[in-house]
Amino acid sequence: MSSDSLRDQVETRLAPWHRQLGADRAAYTNHVLRVLALCDLLAVDQQPRPSAREEYLTAATLHDLGIWAAGTFDYLAPSCDLAMAWLSSIDRDDLAGLVVSMVDQHHRIRPADPPHDPVEIFRRADAIDVGRGLLGWYGVSPAARRDLMKRYPAHGFHRTLVRLTARRLRTNPASPLPMVKW
C-alpha cells in the first residue's frame, strides 16, 4: 500500500474528529502513520502487511483518540469505544475483540503476548514511537527510525504528550499516567 493511500485511510477514520484534534491533527496523524510503519517493520514476515489490515488500521488510528474525542488523559476506554463503533459502522464486529485488546494493552510495561502476536506487535510499535527508544527498539534499525521521522515528522507530538502528562500530574498526582498497565 502506498504511503498516500495509507494516509488517506487514516484521514478517513480521523475525519469526524478533525475539530477536536485541532492543532494536534498533523502530529497525531503522523504518530499513527509511524506506528503503522513500525508494525510493518516488526512483522516483516507477515502478509498482508499490518498496515494493510483493518485491525491494525483501526487500532492505530483510534488508540489515543480518546484524549481529544473524550477530553481525558484516561483515554483507553473512550478509545476502545471509538474503535468498536468504527468496526460496527463498517460491519467488522468480528475484529472487535482483537482491536480492543490492541488499544487497551498498548501501554503495558510487560509484553502482552508473544512477539509475533498483533497485540504485542502493536504495543512494541507504539512504545518505540512514544518512548523514542527508552523502552527498547525491538530490532528496528537507526536508519529505519530516521527514515520514519523524516517521512512522518513529529510536529510537536512528543511535546504534546509531555504537556498532557504535566497537566494530569497537577490535577491527579496520585494517577499521572492512568493508561499505563503492568
Side-chain angles (χ1 to χ4, degrees):
M1 178 181 312
S2 78
S3 120
D4 287 341
S5 174
L6 184 59
R7 181 177 291 277
D8 289 345
Q9 289 193 48
V10 169
E11 288 286 354
T12 296
R13 286 164 176 78
L14 289 176
W17 297 281
H18 282 178
R19 187 178 54 71
Q20 288 96 327
L21 283 164
D24 294 325
R25 180 175 160 202
Y28 184 67
T29 299
N30 281 359
H31 166 61
V32 169
L33 292 166
R34 286 190 306 273
V35 167
L36 285 166
L38 286 161
C39 287
D40 286 348
L41 290 170
L42 293 169
V44 71
D45 59 338
Q46 291 188 16
Q47 293 300 324
R49 295 174 63 147
S51 63
R53 294 166 50 186
E54 186 61 48
E55 61 270 28
Y56 284 93
L57 281 164
T58 299
T61 304
L62 304 174
H63 74 285
D64 294 335
L65 193 59
I67 294 170
W68 294 272
T72 180
F73 206 47
D74 192 1
Y75 58 86
L76 291 180
S79 296
C80 288
D81 291 344
L82 293 169
M84 288 189 302
W86 170 261
L87 291 169
S88 182
S89 77
I90 62 166
D91 294 322
R92 289 305 310 263
D93 294 306
D94 59 305
L95 296 175
L98 175 57
V99 172
V100 165
S101 290
M102 292 168 81
V103 172
D104 185 61
Q105 300 297 310
H106 82 274
H107 284 304
R108 276 181 64 113
I109 300 298
R110 295 180 299 161
D113 287 301
H116 62 279
D117 186 88
V119 175
E120 183 60 14
I121 290 167
F122 187 73
R123 185 192 74 81
R124 288 178 179 199
D126 186 70
I128 291 168
D129 192 57
V130 170
R132 296 178 135 179
L134 292 175
L135 302 174
W137 295 112
Y138 303 106
V140 175
S141 73
R145 297 189 310 263
R146 280 191 304 274
D147 176 60
L148 283 177
M149 288 308 287
K150 186 176 179 180
R151 212 174 351 150
Y152 307 118
H155 295 303
F157 179 73
H158 298 92
R159 282 191 308 273
T160 296
L161 295 180
V162 169
R163 179 178 47 80
L164 291 170
T165 300
R167 181 186 308 156
R168 174 73 186 201
L169 184 59
R170 284 191 306 276
T171 60
N172 295 63
S175 176
L177 298 172
M179 76 298 284
V180 174
K181 297 181 178 198
W182 183 247

